């Protein structure tokens, strides 16, 4: 993805962002403000939410032509929390849009590792690799955090 680009056209809500790929397929991602919701019952297909933001349980993973440093700079400029994370299968930059929506980005050069795991060639061994990663992660968590911290992290809900 090459974006982001803010849109100020009256057909789009203020604060809406587009990220565009610039590729032959024309892939894009539209990110609306938290107070907006796609609503099939609304005449324009959008409505406003009265409540404030809470964390989302959904995320997307996209590939970018930009470097990790450039992605982290975009996040800093926008005021978004960002993390550079090695997952054990591929490396991503986690961007927390408005501290609510998670967008995971494969920086330039990282898409190959992702495709090796989740593409056609990687599918036969994917379950075994995920189980191995799960075991390694559990062991690392137990070395670095007390059981009460782990239990609290998995039991807590966002926005409380």
């Amino acid at each position: 993805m090459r974006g982001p680009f803010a849109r100020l056209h009256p057909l789009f809500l203020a604060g809406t962002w587009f990220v565009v790929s610039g590729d032959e397929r024309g892939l894009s991602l539209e990110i609306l403000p938290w107070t907006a919701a796609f609503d099939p019952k609304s005449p324009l297909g959008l409505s406003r939410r009265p409540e404030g933001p809470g964390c989302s349980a959904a995320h997307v993973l996209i590939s970018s032509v930009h470097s990790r440093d450039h992605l982290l700079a975009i996040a800093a400029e926008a005021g978004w929390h960002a993390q550079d994370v090695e997952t054990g299968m591929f490396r991503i930059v986690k961007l927390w849009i408005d501290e609510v929506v998670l967008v995971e980005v494969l920086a330039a050069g990282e898409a190959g590792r992702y495709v090796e795991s989740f593409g056609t060639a990687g599918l036969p061994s994917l379950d075994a690799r995920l189980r191995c990663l799960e075991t390694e992660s559990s062991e690392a968590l137990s070395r670095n955090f007390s059981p009460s911290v782990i239990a609290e992290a998995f039991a807590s809900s966002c926005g409380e």
Side-chain angles (χ1 to χ4, degrees), residues 76-99:
E77 184 179 325
W80 300 333
H81 179 77
Q83 295 171 286
D84 183 10
V85 177
E86 172 55 53
T87 70
M89 297 173 83
F90 52 90
R91 190 170 178 177
I92 55 174
V93 175
K94 290 185 172 191
L95 302 175
W96 295 92
I97 312 300
D98 295 334
E99 304 302 318

Side-chain angles (χ1 to χ4, degrees), residues 15-128:
T16 298
W17 287 82
F18 282 103
V19 181
V20 297
S21 67
D23 68 3
E24 67 281 352
R25 294 170 293 185
L27 296 175
S28 65
L29 176 65
E30 181 179 357
I31 304 167
L32 282 77
W34 179 255
T35 55
F38 290 110
D39 183 350
K41 296 174 187 153
S42 174
L44 298 177
L46 290 172
S47 63
R48 291 233 175 248
R49 293 185 219 215
E51 70 273 358
C55 291
S56 171
H59 76 281
V60 297
L61 180 131
I62 59 175
S63 184
S64 176
V65 298
H66 296 296
S67 70
R68 251 181 236 91
D69 290 341
H70 185 76
L71 294 167
L72 294 169
I74 288 170
E77 184 179 325
W80 300 333
H81 179 77
Q83 295 171 286
D84 183 10
V85 177
E86 172 55 53
T87 70
M89 297 173 83
F90 52 90
R91 190 170 178 177
I92 55 174
V93 175
K94 290 185 172 191
L95 302 175
W96 295 92
I97 312 300
D98 295 334
E99 304 302 318
V100 173
V101 176
L102 173 60
V103 176
E104 295 178 336
V105 184
L106 296 162
E110 286 296 323
R113 289 182 63 206
Y114 179 82
V115 171
E116 283 175 14
S117 296
F118 292 91
T120 305
L123 286 181
S125 63
L126 180 59
D127 187 64

